[in-house]
Structures are given as structure tokens and as C-alpha cells.
Amino acid sequence: MPGFDEATSLRARPDGAGFDAQVDPDWTVAGRPNGGYLAAILALAATRAARAGGRDHPHPMSMSATYLRPPATGPGLVRTEVLRLGRTASQVRAAFEQDGQVCVDAVLVLVRLSEGSERRVPGPPAPTMPPEETCRPLAPAVPHLLRMATMAQLDLRLDPATAGFLDGQPGGEPELRAWLRWMDGREPDPVSLLFALDALPPATFEIGSTGWVPTLQLTSYVRALPAPGPLLVRQRAQLVLGGFVDELCHVWDASGRLVAQATQLAGVRFPGEADG
Amino acid sequence: MPGFDEATSLRARPDGAGFDAQVDPDWTVAGRPNGGYLAAILALAATRAARAGGRDHPHPMSMSATYLRPPATGPGLVRTEVLRLGRTASQVRAAFEQDGQVCVDAVLVLVRLSEGSERRVPGPPAPTMPPEETCRPLAPAVPHLLRMATMAQLDLRLDPATAGFLDGQPGGEPELRAWLRWMDGREPDPVSLLFALDALPPATFEIGSTGWVPTLQLTSYVRALPAPGPLLVRQRAQLVLGGFVDELCHVWDASGRLVAQATQLAGVRFPGEADG
């Protein structure tokens, strides 16, 4: 089983209390599990809960997660609560717990996405990107910033125009654009898109922010089945104010179609500022 | 007490089971309570739950709501669950129930917003708008579309450039822009911004969609204390696909500062299409 799928695998507890999960150190940033990685775990648990309720709704059309405290690596428990089983959509709450404390609380809207409906409005067009081979790979260690273990699992290549922070020379625009593939060769699917929507470093690195900052809230919409091939991911900060930033993320598949998007609220830190 | 505050008022149940609320018919669209109105009720309950836990976190910095079924007008119960009480932020779950069924499930991040921090990135600039007096008031009844009782409670004035649907001539761009005030003269505050983020008709009216459609998921971020005066609200549809639309909403205060924003996933219907 390839890396991402193994790292997100679940085992149902015999007593029905939920699912056992393992937070894998390969999917951490600064030692804390990546938020999109935890989102994928919660989504997989939610779809299993819907299936147990008789609904074939395997795709998270929306996932809204609130991050209370970062879990440690190692075992955790995912509890699910089916809120509603519908004909075309089901709603499931899923919470990630460690030591009896909720670390992440999420509610998902699950559906079965279908191929090829008409796009009445296509959404924002994919940005023009240099080909993958001329983009800059992002290594796990960005010494002056932070250690992103996830980058050893990904073939993530930044548009050089948004990669100034790698050389300590932020470009000044709070936006990152990148090609994204999984190192294990897995192709994107709706659950792994939840990871892709939180895979990039903070877009504020390009305006000089530093270090790890916690995601407080992440809402992701997965709207279409992605084509095989690299994803194009754009993360852009909107308002940066009072130690917090909100970022919009868009993901296009290899055919250039918008397939997923997210908004997130996170802490942010700049040199010389006290911790928020 | 003015209309909005009365319509969102809560009474704590003596048994501690939650808060009694009344869904007011004045805050409905096509007979169903407006989603932002329900969000405001949930936020008020959440801040009271945090206060009972000893935290002075009166402002919803984020609210993420999943809409399971539209409540009827009349009484409802709001249950709260404190997920975490923190130093600068607390997280509270709030659910709106009727007849023992959850209608809306929300998780809020509560803080105390402060005045006047530096905006390192100001966010999207306010669009250029004609003055209020030359904009088009939106009446409660738009005969060929739907009845929006909320519009009798609001002084909502559309930019004429985005008001073609009022005359049955949608302009073709999936965007609405409007000035917004409360008829009762109340000034905006963080809780009422949650309402403002869902106050406009669907932006897809400007590309020919019809009738009422349900909000499935709404995530709102309130980032700053709004100045008194009219709000400028822009609602824009992004991807319209397979009977669903996602919309981004931005709200600027009378001083032109971005104060709040939201993303929502909703159903959408066009003439000649079957119900989704």
C-alpha cells in the first residue's frame, strides 16, 4: 500500500466506539500533523460511517474542520456521528481524539461525485504555470523556516516566481503556486484533494512570515473527480491582521479544470513579533 | 429592542439543556429561515456558553455551519458544547434543533476582536459602488423569483450593474454588490456580520438561476470590528456545476475596510432543470 493510503488507514474498533488511526511522522510539519492529512483521515472515517448507514456517498463534497489542539504522532481515535443520511447527500461529524481530548472537530457533506456535468460557470481559471521540470522542488528542510516532513512524500514544485522565500528573498506577493504529485505514484482522488488543499507552506512566506503557525479552521469543497496527473495548487493569503491570516486555496487537475477549493484561518508570525 | 436583536434573542433553559430560540417569520426566504440569521442565533448561544465557562470571548472570529434540514418558524432549541476554552480563543459547537432533530450544526472560534491592528495585507479592495441613493432597493417580493421576507427588515440596495435579474434580464456575471443597513437602525457588529454574509440573494440570479435553493455549508470569518454605517457586500459565484454552486462573500464596512468574508456551498437551479 502506498504511503498516503497507509498513513490514513483506519481500523474499526470492535466495540463500535470509532476507528483507530495512526498519526504518521511522515505527514507532519514542524513535528505536528499536517491539517489536510488529518482532514483526509476524518473524511475516510466519515464515508465509512455513511456506508455503515447504507449510503454509498464515498466523496467529501465539503469538509469543515476546526483545529483545537495539534495531536501528537502515534495512535488516535476517530469518532463519527451520523447527523443525517439523505438520498443524494449525507452529513457526518468526525472528531479526532487523543487521550480523551478532541483535537480536530469536523463536519462533512458526503455525496457521490459523477463525471462530466456541464460547467455553467467554470470558476477561476488555472494560472499560467511553467512546466514542472522548470519549477523548484520544495525539500523537507527549509532551514531558516521550518521542517516539512510531508515534502519527502510529495513531488511539490513551486513556480519560481513564487519561490523567493526559499532563498530568503520573499517576492512580496502573498501567493504560492505549485505542481503537486504524490511520491508514491498515487493519483489524486476526492479524499486526497482534502490533503492537497492544505499541502503548501503558508502563502505568507512570500511576504516574510516565519515558522510554523496553527490552522484554526479549514473548510474544503471538492467539486469534481480529478483527472490523473499533477495537480496545480494555488494558495493565496487575503487579509493579514492581528496575528491571523485567511487563505484561499484552489486546485486544478491535469486537464486544467478547477476541482477543489478551500478557505482557511490560521495564525501568522513575522520576525520581531511576539507569539500570538 | 430592535428587530434583529429581538429575533435572535435566547432564553437559557432552567435545566441547563440549552437555549430556547424563536425562528421569526420576518427573517425567512421562501418561508425558510435565512441561513445567516440562524448562524447569528448559534453565535449568540456559543458566546454565552463561553462566558459561562469564564471566557470573555464575545466575537465569532469563525463560524462554520452545516445545514441539514430547514427549521420551521417558531420555537427551537440551541444546544451548545464547549470544545475548548483557551486564553485568546475558545471553540464551541452549537446546534439548532427542532423536534429532537438537528437542523444546523455549527462550530465557532470565539475571540475578543480589538481595534486597529496593522493590516499587513488588506485583503481584496472594496469595489467601486454608486452611492446608496442611486442603487436599487430590493423589495421582499421579487415576483418571478421568490419571496424574501428579510428584505422588509433590511435597507438593501443593489448596484444597478448587478440588478438585471430584478427586471428579468440577468446581466450575465454571477456577482451581486449591495449596500446593506438594518431597517431598525442597528449598527453592524460581529454577530450581525454573520447575517450580512448570507443576506444577499444568490449571485446566480444574475446568470438566470431561479427560486429558493438550500445552503449546505457556510463558513464565515469575522476579522474586525465594523465601523458604524452601511456595509458593502459582494457575493460572487465561483464554480457552478452539477446542481451546486459555491459563492464567496466579502463585506467591507463604511470606512472601506474588509471586515468579514464567507464561502458557501449551495444548491442551484436553472429553468428547465429538474430539482437537484
Side-chain angles (χ1 to χ4, degrees):
Chain A
M1 188 157 49
F4 182 79
D5 294 295
E6 184 172 353
T8 55
S9 65
L10 299 164
R11 184 185 299 264
R13 287 206 175 170
D15 62 3
F19 301 90
D20 284 311
Q22 284 285 337
V23 177
D24 190 316
D26 282 349
W27 298 89
T28 55
V29 174
R32 281 93 159 187
N34 170 275
Y37 163 64
L38 294 173
I41 290 175
L42 293 174
L44 288 165
T47 59
R48 284 175 67 164
R51 195 162 68 231
R55 291 305 189 280
D56 182 29
H57 293 154
H59 303 138
M61 182 163 68
S62 90
M63 193 244 15
S64 167
T66 306
Y67 295 84
L68 308 170
R69 42 181 78 82
T73 54
L77 171 65
V78 182
R79 288 189 197 275
T80 58
E81 177 192 358
V82 173
L83 299 173
R84 181 176 159 273
L85 296 169
R87 188 172 53 86
T88 58
S90 295
Q91 288 88 356
V92 179
R93 185 189 190 196
F96 190 95
E97 296 185 9
Q98 266 181 349
D99 302 325
Q101 286 202 305
V102 176
C103 302
V104 190
D105 186 289
V107 178
L108 296 104
V109 178
L110 306 172
V111 298
R112 173 170 284 278
L113 295 169
S114 57
E115 300 279 355
S117 303
E118 179 201 1
R119 291 174 175 242
R120 281 183 179 266
V121 180
T128 304
M129 280 283 283
E132 284 178 275
E133 56 275 19
T134 62
C135 286
R136 288 192 62 177
L138 187 52
V142 183
H144 57 293
L145 291 168
L146 79 172
R147 182 166 171 81
M148 293 178 276
T150 50
M151 294 308 159
Q153 307 300 320
L154 302 173
D155 182 3
L156 193 145
R157 292 167 187 251
L158 286 165
D159 183 338
T162 71
F165 71 97
L166 290 178
D167 306 316
Q169 299 180 320
E173 275 291 309
E175 178 169 314
L176 301 182
R177 298 184 293 273
W179 294 110
L180 174 66
R181 295 177 189 261
W182 279 258
M183 280 291 190
D184 59 26
R186 108 191 282 290
E187 295 292 356
D189 60 10
V191 168
S192 59
L193 286 177
L194 295 180
F195 170 74
L197 287 164
D198 190 40
L200 266 56
T204 50
F205 276 2
E206 274 293 271
I207 56 167
S209 78
T210 53
W212 180 83
V213 287
T215 296
L216 295 169
Q217 206 285 328
L218 171 64
T219 293
S220 303
Y221 298 155
V222 175
R223 302 294 305 287
L225 297 171
L231 299 172
L232 199 176
V233 185
R234 182 180 66 195
Q235 180 92 339
R236 187 173 178 86
Q238 297 202 91
L239 181 59
V240 181
L241 170 67
F244 297 101
V245 58
D246 53 281
E247 300 189 72
L248 282 180
C249 186
H250 289 84
V251 177
W252 295 265
D253 71 7
S255 74
R257 298 176 317 149
L258 182 71
V259 290
Q261 56 193 284
T263 181
Q264 89 166 254
L265 182 67
V268 64
R269 228 182 310 166
F270 290 86
E273 283 185 2
D275 283 15
Chain B
M1 190 156 49
F4 182 78
D5 294 295
E6 185 173 350
T8 55
S9 65
L10 299 164
R11 184 185 298 264
R13 286 206 175 170
D15 63 1
F19 300 90
D20 285 310
Q22 284 285 336
V23 177
D24 190 316
D26 282 349
W27 298 90
T28 56
V29 174
R32 281 93 160 187
N34 169 275
Y37 163 63
L38 294 172
I41 289 174
L42 293 174
L44 288 166
T47 59
R48 284 175 66 165
R51 196 163 67 230
R55 290 306 188 280
D56 182 29
H57 293 154
H59 303 138
M61 182 162 67
S62 90
M63 192 244 17
S64 167
T66 306
Y67 294 83
L68 308 170
R69 41 181 80 83
T73 55
L77 171 66
V78 181
R79 287 188 197 275
T80 59
E81 177 191 358
V82 172
L83 299 173
R84 180 177 160 273
L85 295 170
R87 189 172 54 86
T88 58
S90 294
Q91 289 87 356
V92 178
R93 184 189 190 198
F96 190 96
E97 296 185 10
Q98 267 182 349
D99 303 325
Q101 286 202 305
V102 176
C103 301
V104 189
D105 186 287
V107 178
L108 297 103
V109 178
L110 305 173
V111 297
R112 173 171 283 279
L113 295 169
S114 57
E115 301 279 355
S117 303
E118 180 199 2
R119 291 174 175 243
R120 280 184 181 266
V121 180
T128 304
M129 279 284 283
E132 284 177 276
E133 56 273 20
T134 62
C135 286
R136 287 191 63 177
L138 188 53
V142 183
H144 58 292
L145 292 169
L146 79 171
R147 182 169 171 79
M148 292 177 277
T150 50
M151 294 308 158
Q153 307 301 320
L154 302 173
D155 181 3
L156 193 146
R157 292 166 188 252
L158 286 165
D159 183 337
T162 71
F165 71 97
L166 291 178
D167 307 315
Q169 297 179 322
E173 276 291 311
E175 178 170 312
L176 302 182
R177 298 184 293 273
W179 294 110
L180 174 67
R181 293 178 189 261
W182 280 257
M183 280 290 190
D184 59 25
R186 109 192 281 292
E187 295 292 354
D189 61 11
V191 168
S192 59
L193 286 177
L194 295 179
F195 169 74
L197 287 163
D198 190 40
L200 267 56
T204 50
F205 276 2
E206 274 293 272
I207 57 167
S209 77
T210 53
W212 180 82
V213 288
T215 297
L216 295 169
Q217 206 284 329
L218 171 64
T219 293
S220 304
Y221 298 155
V222 175
R223 301 294 306 285
L225 298 172
L231 299 172
L232 199 175
V233 185
R234 181 180 67 196
Q235 180 91 339
R236 186 173 178 88
Q238 296 202 90
L239 181 58
V240 180
L241 171 67
F244 297 102
V245 57
D246 54 281
E247 301 189 72
L248 281 181
C249 186
H250 289 84
V251 177
W252 295 266
D253 70 7
S255 74
R257 298 177 317 151
L258 182 72
V259 289
Q261 55 192 286
T263 181
Q264 89 166 254
L265 182 67
V268 64
R269 230 182 307 166
F270 291 86
E273 284 185 2
D275 285 14

